[in-house]
Amino acid sequence: MLIFCDNNIPYLDDALKQIGKIRHFNADRLTNEELIASKADALFVRSTIKVNQDLLNNTNIRFVATATSGNDHFDIPYLEKSGIFYADALGSNANSVAEYVVYAISRWAVENKIDLSTKTIGIIGYGNIGKLVAKYSQYLGLNILVNDPPLKDYGYDFPDFFQYSELNDLIAKSDIITNHVPRILDGKYKTIDLINEQNLELVKPNSLFIHASRGKVVQESALIEIKCQKNMTLITDVWADEPLINKELMKHSLLATPHIAGHSFEGKVRGTLMVVEAFEKFYNLKANKSYIYRLLDNYKPVNREIFDEKASILTSLKQNRQLVEDDKFLRELSTHDDNTIKKGFINYRQKYPVRKETL
């Protein structure tokens, strides 16, 4: 068996090297011709590869997995029509993103001497990330509103430690707004421009807005305008035109980072584990996951009590995640031409330093 693997999936070799021959590729260089010539059977990618007919037509690929939580770089109708099994690592980086949100809230609260017990957070999207954000928000003492129309329509039984809210009411009533929805282009549950000029008018003055889902979920121009009108604090990790960034939005953001909220060490290792498990199930084989398990065993979440001291949790997250360094990198990168920004943005994410989770 020949397995093609993106260079940036950590510890995949350790798990699969006894099963088949592994060939690595750089995310910007894999071609359909290369896959055809190799007669590879399985393909492991990250989000920089578009997995579609152009890439897979006339190849031997029957299994493809992305070691990322999203799969919107997959042409799923094509894969299903072609009988190609696909897997993702949905939820693998949920705690990493939730930590990013906790860092943003803690920094806002500490720097502005804000009592969080008097504040309300609005969480848009109650998936893997939203659930953790809600749990940590409860630990922080926040009042919590949640919006997730697909879950509501499905009849999901939401927990009773928060209140469900329609989107406009959530935006109007929240002191902190954070969104954690997938990128959905159209249909009843479309998320492109979900947060827009009309509903942003409802935002409270002096509120905190955290943007760490997908770039096009928020209308950036409207967000900048409302920020200036209502003295909002912006935390921005995702950008509508990635790998290009909105320099004006960056200037107006207290923290601006290159889509790395979910890039913790543990998040990446969990992603590897999930796609290896999918591979095992599809081929009815047994991989060697012992080293991956050992890496994850070293991760010990903090006790809930740390949330009682906002300055302490902020210090811990600063040390472990070093998000200020990511911000410095992006601001320096933004001084260059567009081509340099594109390359730098992609390269930074691909070669992201080891950053350990705290929570």
Side-chain angles (χ1 to χ4, degrees), residues 3-71:
I3 306 167
F4 261 54
C5 300
D6 188 302
N7 274 331
N8 296 295
I9 303 178
Y11 312 110
L12 190 63
D13 285 22
D14 296 280
L16 301 182
K17 63 185 178 184
Q18 295 179 345
I19 291 176
K21 182 179 179 181
I22 298 173
R23 183 178 298 178
H24 294 104
F25 64 88
N26 291 323
D28 57 346
R29 295 176 189 169
L30 184 63
T31 65
N32 173 253
E33 292 76 15
E34 188 176 3
L35 285 176
I36 292 174
S38 71
K39 299 183 180 180
D41 304 283
L43 176 65
F44 290 84
V45 303
R46 291 190 64 84
S47 59
T48 48
I49 287 285
K50 300 294 184 184
V51 180
N52 51 27
Q53 183 172 358
D54 290 342
L55 181 67
L56 299 183
N57 193 38
N58 295 322
T59 70
N60 287 353
I61 298 293
R62 286 296 169 263
F63 172 93
V64 59
T66 178
T68 58
S69 61
N71 63 13

Side-chain angles (χ1 to χ4, degrees), residues 53-101:
Q53 183 172 358
D54 290 342
L55 181 67
L56 299 183
N57 193 38
N58 295 322
T59 70
N60 287 353
I61 298 293
R62 286 296 169 263
F63 172 93
V64 59
T66 178
T68 58
S69 61
N71 63 13
D72 52 14
H73 51 299
F74 280 9
D75 183 343
I76 291 176
Y78 165 75
L79 294 175
E80 292 178 343
K81 181 181 69 175
S82 304
I84 300 172
F85 183 85
Y86 60 92
D88 58 36
L90 184 64
S92 60
N93 67 346
N95 196 62
S96 180
V97 179
E99 278 196 343
Y100 185 95
V101 174

Side-chain angles (χ1 to χ4, degrees), residues 119-166:
K119 301 300 179 182
T120 296
I121 184 171
I123 303 168
I124 304 168
Y126 194 65
N128 291 296
I129 298 170
K131 288 180 175 67
L132 282 172
V133 171
K135 180 178 81 169
Y136 294 150
S137 296
Q138 184 185 29
Y139 293 173
L140 288 167
L142 288 157
N143 302 303
I144 305 166
L145 302 177
V146 168
N147 173 263
D148 194 312
L151 283 182
K152 181 187 177 186
D153 292 351
Y154 182 73
Y156 183 81
D157 186 16
F158 290 96
D160 59 7
F161 70 88
F162 60 73
Q163 179 181 343
Y164 186 88
S165 178
E166 299 304 328

Side-chain angles (χ1 to χ4, degrees), residues 24 59 85 104 176 220 330 333:
H24 294 104
T59 70
F85 183 85
I176 304 164
E220 292 181 341
L330 192 63
L333 182 65

Side-chain angles (χ1 to χ4, degrees), residues 57 98 105 133 141 171 193 223 244 252 258 296 334 351:
N57 193 38
I105 295 169
V133 171
I171 292 173
D193 292 337
L223 186 60
L244 288 176
H252 285 287
L296 292 176
S334 72
K351 298 179 180 179

Side-chain angles (χ1 to χ4, degrees), residues 125-302:
Y126 194 65
N128 291 296
I129 298 170
K131 288 180 175 67
L132 282 172
V133 171
K135 180 178 81 169
Y136 294 150
S137 296
Q138 184 185 29
Y139 293 173
L140 288 167
L142 288 157
N143 302 303
I144 305 166
L145 302 177
V146 168
N147 173 263
D148 194 312
L151 283 182
K152 181 187 177 186
D153 292 351
Y154 182 73
Y156 183 81
D157 186 16
F158 290 96
D160 59 7
F161 70 88
F162 60 73
Q163 179 181 343
Y164 186 88
S165 178
E166 299 304 328
L167 182 60
N168 284 0
D169 285 342
L170 179 149
I171 292 173
K173 295 176 180 177
S174 297
D175 304 285
I176 304 164
I177 298 170
T178 183
N179 67 92
H180 304 287
V181 298
R183 187 176 74 112
I184 301 175
L185 298 177
D186 50 34
K188 182 178 180 181
Y189 303 118
K190 173 185 173 183
T191 62
I192 300 301
D193 292 337
L194 179 69
I195 303 170
N196 52 55
E197 183 178 5
Q198 286 72 39
N199 52 37
L200 279 171
E201 291 285 350
L202 303 171
V203 165
K204 282 186 176 184
N206 305 309
S207 57
L208 170 65
F209 189 95
I210 305 165
H211 187 25
S213 61
R214 291 291 186 269
K216 292 185 183 295
V217 168
V218 178
Q219 287 182 349
E220 292 181 341
S221 58
L223 186 60
I224 294 167
E225 183 175 347
I226 294 299
K227 190 268 185 229
C228 296
Q229 290 178 11
K230 300 197 177 185
N231 192 36
M232 295 167 63
T233 298
L234 302 183
I235 305 288
T236 309
D237 183 57
V238 292
W239 311 85
D241 297 315
E242 292 179 17
L244 288 176
I245 60 172
N246 185 323
K247 296 179 183 179
E248 191 68 17
L249 178 57
M250 182 199 70
K251 290 176 185 176
H252 285 287
S253 297
L254 174 66
L255 183 76
T257 50
H259 200 158
I260 48 73
H263 271 40
S264 69
F265 173 78
E266 289 83 0
K268 289 185 177 182
V269 175
R270 289 188 205 103
T272 299
L273 178 61
M274 291 172 73
V275 294
V276 167
E277 290 174 340
F279 178 88
E280 288 180 312
K281 185 175 181 180
F282 179 75
Y283 285 108
N284 194 26
L285 294 168
K286 196 68 176 175
N288 180 8
K289 304 189 292 278
S290 58
Y291 187 59
I292 296 175
Y293 286 144
R294 286 200 300 273
L295 291 170
L296 292 176
D297 281 345
N298 291 330
Y299 167 63
K300 303 296 181 186
V302 300

